[in-house]
Amino acid sequence: MKTAPNNTHSNKTPISILVFDWVVACSILILSSPIWVVKVAFLACSKHPIFETLFIHSGGKEVAIRTFSQGRFSTLPLLFSVLKGQVGLLGTSFEYAVFEPSHANQRPGILSVEQMQRRMGITHINTNPNTVPTFGLFGYVSNIFKCLISKLVVVSTQLNYPKQFNLLGVDIDNNTMDESIELLIHSSQSTSTKQFAFVNADCLNIAVSDSDYRDTVNQCDQVFADGSGIRIACQLHHIGLKDNVNGTDMLPLLCEKASLIGIKLFFLGGKGNTADEAAANLAAQYPNLEIVGCHHGYLTDENEQQVIEQINQSGAHILLVGMGAPKQEAWIRQHKSALSVGVAVGVGGLFDFFANNVSRAPIAVRQVGMEWVWRLAQEPTRMWKRYVVGNPLFIARVLKQKRLSHASIEQAPTNIATNLGQVNNQHKRRWYFFRIKCGQFAKRTFDIVAASILLILLAPLFLLTALCIRVESKGAIFFHKLEVVVIINHSRCGSSVQCILMLKKD
């Protein structure tokens, strides 16, 4: 048997966390006891096994854990593994015993920070998953709450992962953060300027009412999905979004990559010296980074051509334009034929973050997809319309798009309708047999519950009757007799005799 490397001596779980896990697991098991009864009874009535046994690496050895074989609440039996100390409520992701354990394998948990970040599309954020020894009980509990909140924000369903999808008329590319950075680096060597854009919920709201902006974005070489709003909208359309590709997370990673291979950047946008301050801070962080020019974003007809010449003469490969949507996208589209850079990207208010004019939300807030709440708290007078009004409006528009897409499917050509009809027939058959199973389960449950209630209600009468019988006679209170019932069936083929053995208790 292969075992994981024993590194528990340096990451021993504190007693307070073990006690916390034990108390919470016991409480949940007690409160969920009705669910256990229904779940076990349902699986017992079906042809499926009740439990499924899995083997995982834990604490330097292989351990067996159990889950329900299918359906909702399938992970409830894992709480017994928590009581045994095999897993925790929070820990590293499960590593199954069929694979070699990784060096990061420690105490596995039902919840994990790694899974939370994958769910929220922020796996590019470096955090220490070994939260138990590092942060103690308070950090342990807070990370559990963050994992639970992320499960509420992003509900796991059967999702598709297309390369591109459409939201509110805008075509958005479904890339990971690493894929997006590699694409920018590769495109920076292009002889013609390629345009890229980030879109969030506010941008899509603008695209609904501004057709020029929508057309400009759709003509971009790549459009990156930015923010939790896009992720929620994708969930409503059963689309899996690979990553939250936002500019604030991307720029440090892009600068790091650019500093290693000699890619030059130019910052255009922001107020006053904002772009210069952002460039200075990034240059201090990445000494080999070449930011070859900066200019504010307030251009006029008099200085616009001069700025374009400054960009071209700088030898920049990537131009970041921070003028805000839709102005920045329109400016790039209008002037990209005159630019000699390989890539031009609209980045909105990105420079303000790196110039320290606006503080970034803490990682804990970003992990649960609530960075917009942080921004609203910082600038309520400027951001209330975008978030308080814009976010519900965006969700309403996405739901309307979903409803219209379903209606268009119903009016599709005959061949598509036929295929959909076959799928619907399969669903109907499955639903039909499922209802039969549910009916059988409901009848059996009703019989058991009704009989139990009657036995409880009539228990005093039974006891009184038994006592009277016992006083009158010293013989047995209960006796039984066997009766043979003969049933004669008459049919066209003749008569048949069936003997049934019946057991009666009087």
Side-chain angles (χ1 to χ4, degrees):
M1 179 180 293
K2 299 177 181 179
T3 59
N6 190 359
N7 52 11
T8 56
H9 64 279
S10 61
N11 295 287
K12 188 176 180 180
T13 305
I15 297 297
S16 59
I17 290 177
L18 293 175
V19 172
F20 175 81
D21 281 354
W22 198 88
V23 171
V24 172
C26 284
S27 302
I28 295 176
L29 284 172
I30 293 172
L31 293 175
S32 62
S33 55
I35 297 176
W36 274 83
V37 173
V38 174
K39 187 76 177 180
V40 171
F42 176 78
L43 292 175
C45 294
S46 67
K47 296 181 180 179
H48 301 282
I50 298 176
F51 297 105
E52 180 181 6
T53 302
L54 305 172
F55 293 89
I56 64 171
H57 296 290
S58 175
K61 58 183 180 181
E62 292 182 6
V63 297
I65 59 175
R66 283 190 170 187
T67 62
F68 284 125
S69 60
Q70 59 175 223
R72 293 184 179 273
F73 308 106
S74 60
T75 57
L76 271 179
L78 290 177
L79 294 172
F80 286 108
S81 297
V82 174
L83 295 179
K84 295 178 183 178
Q86 296 173 331
V87 302
L89 296 177
L90 179 75
T92 58
S93 299
F94 286 172
E95 295 186 8
Y96 296 101
V98 292
F99 302 106
E100 290 289 341
S102 67
H103 294 290
N105 177 260
Q106 294 182 18
R107 182 175 181 253
I110 299 175
L111 304 172
S112 76
V113 174
E114 180 186 354
Q115 290 176 345
M116 173 184 64
Q117 295 196 163
R118 189 181 301 114
R119 188 181 300 114
M120 300 305 298
I122 52 174
T123 53
H124 49 271
I125 297 179
N126 293 323
T127 57
N128 184 5
N130 309 325
T131 55
V132 174
T134 306
F135 300 115
L137 181 60
F138 177 77
Y140 185 78
V141 175
S142 64
N143 277 319
I144 287 176
F145 277 108
K146 286 190 293 183
C147 290
L148 294 175
I149 292 173
S150 70
K151 281 181 171 289
L152 294 176
V153 173
V154 180
V155 181
S156 298
T157 56
Q158 294 182 350
L159 303 176
N160 298 314
Y161 288 84
K163 292 183 178 180
Q164 190 180 70
F165 56 90
N166 185 283
L167 284 179
L168 304 184
V170 175
D171 295 324
I172 304 173
D173 296 281
N174 195 4
N175 302 325
T176 65
M177 181 65 80
D178 290 338
E179 290 171 346
S180 302
I181 293 173
E182 287 297 330
L183 182 61
L184 290 175
I185 294 295
H186 177 75
S187 301
S188 66
Q189 306 300 320
S190 174
T191 55
S192 60
T193 301
K194 293 187 176 182
Q195 183 175 359
F196 296 79
F198 295 90
V199 293
N200 53 28
D202 181 58
C203 294
L204 293 184
N205 278 335
I206 296 173
V208 171
S209 55
D210 189 338
S211 59
D212 290 336
Y213 172 64
R214 183 173 63 249
D215 294 339
T216 299
V217 173
N218 283 332
Q219 291 178 14
C220 290
D221 293 273
Q222 285 277 306
V223 179
F224 304 129
D226 175 4
S228 299
I230 303 294
R231 179 169 294 275
I232 295 173
C234 288
Q235 286 270 320
L236 294 174
H237 284 278
H238 302 289
I239 296 172
L241 192 62
K242 293 180 181 179
D243 257 347
N244 177 3
V245 185
N246 61 85
T248 322
D249 286 338
M250 177 188 281
L251 185 56
L253 301 174
L254 178 63
C255 289
E256 181 181 9
K257 188 83 172 179
S259 66
L260 296 175
I261 58 178
I263 298 296
K264 301 175 183 178
L265 279 66
F266 193 104
F267 289 179
L268 173 63
K271 298 178 180 179
N273 296 324
T274 297
D276 296 277
E277 293 173 1
N281 292 334
L282 288 167
Q285 187 175 358
Y286 306 100
N288 295 326
L289 178 64
E290 294 185 74
I291 301 178
V292 293
C294 298
H295 198 281
H296 62 75
Y298 295 89
L299 304 182
T300 62
D301 294 336
E302 290 76 19
N303 69 353
E304 189 171 63
Q305 187 59 40
Q306 180 182 354
V307 172
I308 293 175
E309 292 177 0
Q310 179 186 351
I311 295 170
N312 292 338
Q313 293 173 4
S314 69
H317 300 98
I318 298 177
L319 171 64
L320 304 183
V321 182
M323 300 177 181
K327 183 178 179 181
Q328 60 195 14
E329 282 76 23
W331 190 90
I332 295 172
R333 180 183 179 183
Q334 181 181 354
H335 297 97
K336 70 177 183 178
S337 59
L339 293 170
S340 60
V341 297
V343 168
V345 190
V347 295
L350 181 64
F351 302 142
D352 284 318
F353 290 101
F354 292 92
N356 296 325
N357 296 335
V358 179
S359 64
R360 187 82 194 273
I363 290 179
V365 177
R366 289 147 60 191
Q367 284 175 331
V368 294
M370 294 296 174
E371 189 169 4
W372 65 272
V373 177
W374 181 269
R375 295 285 289 118
L376 179 61
Q378 285 185 312
E379 301 178 87
T381 54
R382 190 170 78 89
M383 293 294 182
W384 73 270
K385 187 175 181 180
R386 173 185 293 188
Y387 295 127
V388 177
V389 177
N391 284 355
L393 179 62
F394 172 70
I395 296 299
R397 283 170 168 166
V398 170
L399 291 173
K400 181 180 178 180
Q401 180 189 13
K402 182 180 180 181
R403 187 174 65 252
L404 292 176
S405 65
H406 282 295
S408 63
I409 289 175
E410 293 177 358
Q411 299 174 1
T414 306
N415 57 342
I416 299 179
T418 302
N419 294 333
L420 290 175
Q422 294 175 354
V423 174
N424 289 335
N425 288 335
Q426 293 178 358
H427 287 307
K428 287 179 180 179
R429 285 196 295 270
R430 291 175 183 174
W431 178 245
Y432 173 75
F433 289 111
F434 176 74
R435 283 189 298 176
I436 293 177
K437 289 281 187 182
C438 289
Q440 294 174 346
F441 173 74
K443 290 177 181 178
R444 181 170 296 188
T445 303
F446 175 78
D447 291 342
I448 295 173
V449 173
S452 300
I453 293 174
L454 288 174
L455 284 173
I456 294 172
L457 294 177
L458 297 176
L461 180 59
F462 288 161
L463 292 175
L464 180 60
T465 304
L467 181 61
C468 293
I469 294 174
R470 190 65 176 175
V471 170
E472 183 179 352
S473 173
K474 294 183 178 181
I477 297 174
F478 296 98
F479 71 94
H480 65 275
K481 64 180 179 180
L482 299 177
E483 292 185 2
V484 177
V485 180
V486 179
I487 300 177
I488 301 177
N489 292 330
H490 296 280
S491 64
R492 293 182 180 179
C493 298
S495 301
S496 63
V497 179
Q498 295 179 352
C499 295
I500 301 177
L501 184 63
M502 300 183 65
L503 178 64
K504 282 192 173 183
K505 292 186 178 181
D506 295 329

Tab-separated table of all heavy atoms in Angstrom, residues 207-252:
chain	number	residue	atom	x	y	z
A	207	ALA	N	-23.590	48.079	-23.110
A	207	ALA	CA	-23.704	47.502	-24.451
A	207	ALA	C	-25.154	47.329	-24.887
A	207	ALA	O	-25.446	47.354	-26.092
A	207	ALA	CB	-22.987	46.153	-24.490
A	208	VAL	N	-26.064	47.142	-23.939
A	208	VAL	CA	-27.480	46.981	-24.282
A	208	VAL	C	-28.027	48.253	-24.912
A	208	VAL	O	-28.796	48.213	-25.886
A	208	VAL	CB	-28.288	46.596	-23.026
A	208	VAL	CG1	-29.789	46.638	-23.314
A	208	VAL	CG2	-27.893	45.204	-22.542
A	209	SER	N	-27.638	49.403	-24.367
A	209	SER	CA	-28.196	50.678	-24.840
A	209	SER	C	-27.296	51.395	-25.837
A	209	SER	O	-27.732	52.351	-26.481
A	209	SER	CB	-28.447	51.608	-23.643
A	209	SER	OG	-27.264	51.785	-22.882
A	210	ASP	N	-26.050	50.978	-25.968
A	210	ASP	CA	-25.102	51.645	-26.865
A	210	ASP	C	-24.652	50.639	-27.935
A	210	ASP	O	-23.743	49.834	-27.706
A	210	ASP	CB	-23.898	52.150	-26.061
A	210	ASP	CG	-22.973	53.047	-26.881
A	210	ASP	OD1	-23.001	52.951	-28.125
A	210	ASP	OD2	-22.196	53.822	-26.279
A	211	SER	N	-25.269	50.694	-29.079
A	211	SER	CA	-24.967	49.725	-30.140
A	211	SER	C	-23.560	49.911	-30.692
A	211	SER	O	-22.916	48.934	-31.105
A	211	SER	CB	-26.003	49.839	-31.260
A	211	SER	OG	-26.005	51.148	-31.812
A	212	ASP	N	-23.056	51.162	-30.721
A	212	ASP	CA	-21.698	51.395	-31.219
A	212	ASP	C	-20.672	50.713	-30.314
A	212	ASP	O	-19.713	50.102	-30.803
A	212	ASP	CB	-21.417	52.906	-31.292
A	212	ASP	CG	-22.215	53.588	-32.386
A	212	ASP	OD1	-22.610	52.888	-33.348
A	212	ASP	OD2	-22.453	54.808	-32.276
A	213	TYR	N	-20.873	50.837	-29.026
A	213	TYR	CA	-19.966	50.181	-28.081
A	213	TYR	C	-20.050	48.663	-28.226
A	213	TYR	O	-19.017	47.976	-28.231
A	213	TYR	CB	-20.320	50.603	-26.660
A	213	TYR	CG	-19.568	49.843	-25.586
A	213	TYR	CD1	-18.192	49.941	-25.466
A	213	TYR	CD2	-20.251	49.037	-24.680
A	213	TYR	CE1	-17.500	49.245	-24.477
A	213	TYR	CE2	-19.577	48.330	-23.692
A	213	TYR	CZ	-18.202	48.440	-23.587
A	213	TYR	OH	-17.528	47.748	-22.623
A	214	ARG	N	-21.271	48.135	-28.365
A	214	ARG	CA	-21.458	46.694	-28.532
A	214	ARG	C	-20.749	46.200	-29.794
A	214	ARG	O	-20.059	45.165	-29.766
A	214	ARG	CB	-22.945	46.359	-28.581
A	214	ARG	CG	-23.227	44.858	-28.673
A	214	ARG	CD	-24.715	44.574	-28.546
A	214	ARG	NE	-25.510	45.148	-29.621
A	214	ARG	CZ	-26.363	46.156	-29.478
A	214	ARG	NH1	-26.536	46.719	-28.297
A	214	ARG	NH2	-27.048	46.623	-30.512
A	215	ASP	N	-20.873	46.931	-30.880
A	215	ASP	CA	-20.214	46.531	-32.123
A	215	ASP	C	-18.690	46.594	-31.984
A	215	ASP	O	-17.973	45.728	-32.495
A	215	ASP	CB	-20.669	47.432	-33.275
A	215	ASP	CG	-22.135	47.251	-33.607
A	215	ASP	OD1	-22.699	46.188	-33.250
A	215	ASP	OD2	-22.728	48.164	-34.218
A	216	THR	N	-18.204	47.609	-31.286
A	216	THR	CA	-16.757	47.751	-31.093
A	216	THR	C	-16.195	46.580	-30.296
A	216	THR	O	-15.157	46.005	-30.653
A	216	THR	CB	-16.442	49.075	-30.369
A	216	THR	OG1	-16.902	50.166	-31.153
A	216	THR	CG2	-14.950	49.220	-30.136
A	217	VAL	N	-16.876	46.221	-29.221
A	217	VAL	CA	-16.411	45.107	-28.394
A	217	VAL	C	-16.450	43.806	-29.182
A	217	VAL	O	-15.532	42.980	-29.088
A	217	VAL	CB	-17.251	45.008	-27.109
A	217	VAL	CG1	-16.899	43.748	-26.321
A	217	VAL	CG2	-17.045	46.235	-26.236
A	218	ASN	N	-17.496	43.613	-29.962
A	218	ASN	CA	-17.608	42.372	-30.743
A	218	ASN	C	-16.562	42.270	-31.839
A	218	ASN	O	-16.290	41.170	-32.343
A	218	ASN	CB	-19.008	42.257	-31.347
A	218	ASN	CG	-20.048	41.822	-30.329
A	218	ASN	OD1	-19.729	41.134	-29.361
A	218	ASN	ND2	-21.291	42.224	-30.535
A	219	GLN	N	-15.961	43.382	-32.223
A	219	GLN	CA	-14.904	43.364	-33.225
A	219	GLN	C	-13.519	43.184	-32.605
A	219	GLN	O	-12.525	43.086	-33.337
A	219	GLN	CB	-14.944	44.652	-34.054
A	219	GLN	CG	-16.160	44.755	-34.954
A	219	GLN	CD	-16.204	46.066	-35.726
A	219	GLN	OE1	-15.212	46.788	-35.802
A	219	GLN	NE2	-17.351	46.384	-36.295
A	220	CYS	N	-13.432	43.134	-31.284
A	220	CYS	CA	-12.146	42.929	-30.619
A	220	CYS	C	-11.636	41.518	-30.886
A	220	CYS	O	-12.408	40.583	-31.114
A	220	CYS	CB	-12.278	43.145	-29.110
A	220	CYS	SG	-12.553	44.874	-28.622
A	221	ASP	N	-10.319	41.365	-30.831
A	221	ASP	CA	-9.732	40.042	-31.060
A	221	ASP	C	-10.040	39.085	-29.921
A	221	ASP	O	-10.184	37.888	-30.133
A	221	ASP	CB	-8.221	40.186	-31.239
A	221	ASP	CG	-7.872	40.934	-32.514
A	221	ASP	OD1	-7.769	40.287	-33.564
A	221	ASP	OD2	-7.728	42.175	-32.454
A	222	GLN	N	-10.128	39.602	-28.694
A	222	GLN	CA	-10.516	38.796	-27.537
A	222	GLN	C	-11.245	39.699	-26.552
A	222	GLN	O	-10.898	40.871	-26.383
A	222	GLN	CB	-9.301	38.178	-26.847
A	222	GLN	CG	-8.677	37.004	-27.591
A	222	GLN	CD	-9.384	35.698	-27.320
A	222	GLN	OE1	-9.562	35.298	-26.184
A	222	GLN	NE2	-9.790	35.014	-28.385
A	223	VAL	N	-12.245	39.111	-25.886
A	223	VAL	CA	-12.997	39.830	-24.852
A	223	VAL	C	-12.934	38.985	-23.587
A	223	VAL	O	-13.334	37.815	-23.587
A	223	VAL	CB	-14.467	40.060	-25.274
A	223	VAL	CG1	-15.231	40.786	-24.173
A	223	VAL	CG2	-14.526	40.850	-26.572
A	224	PHE	N	-12.424	39.570	-22.503
A	224	PHE	CA	-12.211	38.850	-21.255
A	224	PHE	C	-13.377	39.057	-20.297
A	224	PHE	O	-13.904	40.169	-20.166
A	224	PHE	CB	-10.916	39.317	-20.583
A	224	PHE	CG	-9.696	39.187	-21.442
A	224	PHE	CD1	-8.826	40.258	-21.617
A	224	PHE	CD2	-9.409	37.992	-22.081
A	224	PHE	CE1	-7.690	40.143	-22.406
A	224	PHE	CE2	-8.278	37.853	-22.885
A	224	PHE	CZ	-7.420	38.940	-23.049
A	225	ALA	N	-13.768	37.976	-19.618
A	225	ALA	CA	-14.877	38.010	-18.652
A	225	ALA	C	-14.358	38.500	-17.304
A	225	ALA	O	-13.511	37.858	-16.692
A	225	ALA	CB	-15.507	36.631	-18.513
A	226	ASP	N	-14.877	39.625	-16.830
A	226	ASP	CA	-14.361	40.284	-15.634
A	226	ASP	C	-15.474	40.405	-14.589
A	226	ASP	O	-16.489	41.054	-14.830
A	226	ASP	CB	-13.831	41.668	-16.021
A	226	ASP	CG	-13.376	42.498	-14.826
A	226	ASP	OD1	-13.403	41.986	-13.696
A	226	ASP	OD2	-12.987	43.659	-15.034
A	227	GLY	N	-15.295	39.775	-13.437
A	227	GLY	CA	-16.195	40.010	-12.320
A	227	GLY	C	-17.149	38.864	-12.018
A	227	GLY	O	-17.415	37.998	-12.859
A	228	SER	N	-17.667	38.902	-10.775
A	228	SER	CA	-18.593	37.865	-10.308
A	228	SER	C	-19.938	37.936	-11.014
A	228	SER	O	-20.639	36.932	-11.119
A	228	SER	CB	-18.793	37.986	-8.795
A	228	SER	OG	-17.572	37.820	-8.115
A	229	GLY	N	-20.308	39.129	-11.477
A	229	GLY	CA	-21.584	39.265	-12.175
A	229	GLY	C	-21.633	38.415	-13.436
A	229	GLY	O	-22.654	37.773	-13.733
A	230	ILE	N	-20.518	38.396	-14.182
A	230	ILE	CA	-20.449	37.570	-15.387
A	230	ILE	C	-20.541	36.098	-15.007
A	230	ILE	O	-21.195	35.293	-15.686
A	230	ILE	CB	-19.141	37.838	-16.152
A	230	ILE	CG1	-19.017	39.325	-16.511
A	230	ILE	CG2	-19.088	36.991	-17.414
A	230	ILE	CD1	-20.033	39.820	-17.483
A	231	ARG	N	-19.892	35.714	-13.912
A	231	ARG	CA	-19.925	34.310	-13.475
A	231	ARG	C	-21.347	33.886	-13.114
A	231	ARG	O	-21.800	32.794	-13.476
A	231	ARG	CB	-18.985	34.114	-12.289
A	231	ARG	CG	-18.957	32.702	-11.738
A	231	ARG	CD	-17.814	32.533	-10.760
A	231	ARG	NE	-16.539	32.645	-11.448
A	231	ARG	CZ	-15.929	31.642	-12.063
A	231	ARG	NH1	-16.470	30.426	-12.050
A	231	ARG	NH2	-14.782	31.810	-12.681
A	232	ILE	N	-22.074	34.739	-12.389
A	232	ILE	CA	-23.456	34.411	-12.023
A	232	ILE	C	-24.332	34.318	-13.266
A	232	ILE	O	-25.176	33.415	-13.395
A	232	ILE	CB	-23.997	35.456	-11.032
A	232	ILE	CG1	-23.220	35.377	-9.711
A	232	ILE	CG2	-25.486	35.254	-10.783
A	232	ILE	CD1	-23.563	36.478	-8.726
A	233	ALA	N	-24.135	35.235	-14.206
A	233	ALA	CA	-24.906	35.192	-15.455
A	233	ALA	C	-24.624	33.909	-16.226
A	233	ALA	O	-25.539	33.293	-16.797
A	233	ALA	CB	-24.574	36.414	-16.314
A	234	CYS	N	-23.366	33.485	-16.238
A	234	CYS	CA	-23.018	32.227	-16.908
A	234	CYS	C	-23.690	31.041	-16.226
A	234	CYS	O	-24.161	30.111	-16.897
A	234	CYS	CB	-21.506	32.043	-16.911
A	234	CYS	SG	-20.628	33.149	-18.040
A	235	GLN	N	-23.744	31.067	-14.898
A	235	GLN	CA	-24.421	29.996	-14.169
A	235	GLN	C	-25.892	29.905	-14.581
A	235	GLN	O	-26.422	28.808	-14.754
A	235	GLN	CB	-24.327	30.255	-12.667
A	235	GLN	CG	-22.961	30.001	-12.066
A	235	GLN	CD	-22.799	28.572	-11.593
A	235	GLN	OE1	-23.723	27.993	-11.033
A	235	GLN	NE2	-21.629	28.005	-11.813
A	236	LEU	N	-26.534	31.050	-14.747
A	236	LEU	CA	-27.943	31.056	-15.145
A	236	LEU	C	-28.135	30.450	-16.535
A	236	LEU	O	-29.196	29.895	-16.833
A	236	LEU	CB	-28.490	32.492	-15.120
A	236	LEU	CG	-28.568	33.138	-13.735
A	236	LEU	CD1	-28.989	34.601	-13.842
A	236	LEU	CD2	-29.543	32.388	-12.829
A	237	HIS	N	-27.112	30.553	-17.366
A	237	HIS	CA	-27.167	29.965	-18.709
A	237	HIS	C	-26.500	28.592	-18.756
A	237	HIS	O	-26.263	28.069	-19.849
A	237	HIS	CB	-26.487	30.900	-19.717
A	237	HIS	CG	-27.314	32.089	-20.092
A	237	HIS	ND1	-28.306	32.044	-21.041
A	237	HIS	CD2	-27.303	33.370	-19.633
A	237	HIS	CE1	-28.863	33.232	-21.176
A	237	HIS	NE2	-28.271	34.062	-20.329
A	238	HIS	N	-26.160	28.033	-17.594
A	238	HIS	CA	-25.503	26.724	-17.498
A	238	HIS	C	-24.168	26.712	-18.243
A	238	HIS	O	-23.806	25.727	-18.884
A	238	HIS	CB	-26.419	25.612	-18.027
A	238	HIS	CG	-27.730	25.537	-17.309
A	238	HIS	ND1	-27.847	25.079	-16.012
A	238	HIS	CD2	-28.982	25.891	-17.688
A	238	HIS	CE1	-29.117	25.151	-15.633
A	238	HIS	NE2	-29.826	25.630	-16.626
A	239	ILE	N	-23.450	27.828	-18.143
A	239	ILE	CA	-22.125	27.959	-18.750
A	239	ILE	C	-21.097	28.018	-17.630
A	239	ILE	O	-21.255	28.758	-16.666
A	239	ILE	CB	-22.035	29.225	-19.624
A	239	ILE	CG1	-23.005	29.134	-20.801
A	239	ILE	CG2	-20.610	29.445	-20.120
A	239	ILE	CD1	-23.124	30.419	-21.595
A	240	GLY	N	-20.051	27.231	-17.770
A	240	GLY	CA	-18.966	27.256	-16.798
A	240	GLY	C	-17.907	28.261	-17.209
A	240	GLY	O	-17.342	28.162	-18.305
A	241	LEU	N	-17.652	29.247	-16.354
A	241	LEU	CA	-16.636	30.260	-16.637
A	241	LEU	C	-15.310	29.792	-16.045
A	241	LEU	O	-15.218	29.508	-14.851
A	241	LEU	CB	-17.051	31.599	-16.039
A	241	LEU	CG	-16.251	32.826	-16.472
A	241	LEU	CD1	-16.387	33.052	-17.973
A	241	LEU	CD2	-16.707	34.060	-15.697
A	242	LYS	N	-14.281	29.694	-16.876
A	242	LYS	CA	-13.015	29.132	-16.430
A	242	LYS	C	-12.341	29.986	-15.373
A	242	LYS	O	-11.816	29.470	-14.386
A	242	LYS	CB	-12.077	28.960	-17.634
A	242	LYS	CG	-12.544	27.910	-18.636
A	242	LYS	CD	-11.557	27.808	-19.789
A	242	LYS	CE	-12.007	26.781	-20.814
A	242	LYS	NZ	-11.065	26.702	-21.953
A	243	ASP	N	-12.309	31.297	-15.573
A	243	ASP	CA	-11.615	32.189	-14.639
A	243	ASP	C	-12.254	33.565	-14.637
A	243	ASP	O	-12.884	33.970	-15.625
A	243	ASP	CB	-10.137	32.326	-15.026
A	243	ASP	CG	-9.222	31.508	-14.134
A	243	ASP	OD1	-9.685	31.041	-13.080
A	243	ASP	OD2	-8.046	31.323	-14.496
A	244	ASN	N	-12.057	34.254	-13.534
A	244	ASN	CA	-12.417	35.665	-13.438
A	244	ASN	C	-11.214	36.458	-13.946
A	244	ASN	O	-10.287	36.771	-13.200
A	244	ASN	CB	-12.742	36.024	-11.984
A	244	ASN	CG	-13.065	37.498	-11.804
A	244	ASN	OD1	-13.107	38.268	-12.761
A	244	ASN	ND2	-13.281	37.896	-10.567
A	245	VAL	N	-11.217	36.769	-15.230
A	245	VAL	CA	-10.064	37.413	-15.873
A	245	VAL	C	-10.234	38.924	-15.758
A	245	VAL	O	-10.716	39.589	-16.674
A	245	VAL	CB	-9.940	36.975	-17.341
A	245	VAL	CG1	-8.667	37.544	-17.965
A	245	VAL	CG2	-9.940	35.461	-17.464
A	246	ASN	N	-9.861	39.467	-14.603
A	246	ASN	CA	-9.977	40.911	-14.385
A	246	ASN	C	-8.612	41.570	-14.497
A	246	ASN	O	-7.574	40.963	-14.218
A	246	ASN	CB	-10.611	41.204	-13.025
A	246	ASN	CG	-9.784	40.658	-11.883
A	246	ASN	OD1	-8.855	41.300	-11.417
A	246	ASN	ND2	-10.121	39.456	-11.424
A	247	GLY	N	-8.612	42.829	-14.888
A	247	GLY	CA	-7.362	43.535	-15.135
A	247	GLY	C	-6.527	43.752	-13.893
A	247	GLY	O	-5.287	43.766	-13.964
A	248	THR	N	-7.161	43.922	-12.735
A	248	THR	CA	-6.411	44.192	-11.510
A	248	THR	C	-5.582	42.994	-11.091
A	248	THR	O	-4.481	43.150	-10.560
A	248	THR	CB	-7.383	44.573	-10.375
A	248	THR	OG1	-8.433	45.384	-10.906
A	248	THR	CG2	-6.669	45.339	-9.292
A	249	ASP	N	-6.087	41.787	-11.298
A	249	ASP	CA	-5.305	40.580	-11.024
A	249	ASP	C	-4.315	40.291	-12.153
A	249	ASP	O	-3.237	39.740	-11.925
A	249	ASP	CB	-6.226	39.373	-10.843
A	249	ASP	CG	-6.958	39.388	-9.507
A	249	ASP	OD1	-6.479	40.061	-8.568
A	249	ASP	OD2	-8.006	38.730	-9.401
A	250	MET	N	-4.696	40.664	-13.379
A	250	MET	CA	-3.858	40.318	-14.525
A	250	MET	C	-2.592	41.172	-14.599
A	250	MET	O	-1.511	40.655	-14.942
A	250	MET	CB	-4.647	40.477	-15.826
A	250	MET	CG	-3.797	40.189	-17.071
A	250	MET	SD	-4.613	40.587	-18.612
A	250	MET	CE	-5.674	39.175	-18.811
A	251	LEU	N	-2.668	42.474	-14.291
A	251	LEU	CA	-1.539	43.368	-14.548
A	251	LEU	C	-0.259	42.936	-13.840
A	251	LEU	O	0.812	42.913	-14.476
A	251	LEU	CB	-1.913	44.802	-14.178
A	251	LEU	CG	-0.851	45.854	-14.506
A	251	LEU	CD1	-0.482	45.807	-15.988
A	251	LEU	CD2	-1.318	47.250	-14.112
A	252	PRO	N	-0.268	42.589	-12.543
A	252	PRO	CA	0.986	42.126	-11.927
A	252	PRO	C	1.550	40.876	-12.599
A	252	PRO	O	2.774	40.768	-12.783
A	252	PRO	CB	0.581	41.842	-10.472
A	252	PRO	CG	-0.648	42.635	-10.248
A	252	PRO	CD	-1.359	42.663	-11.558
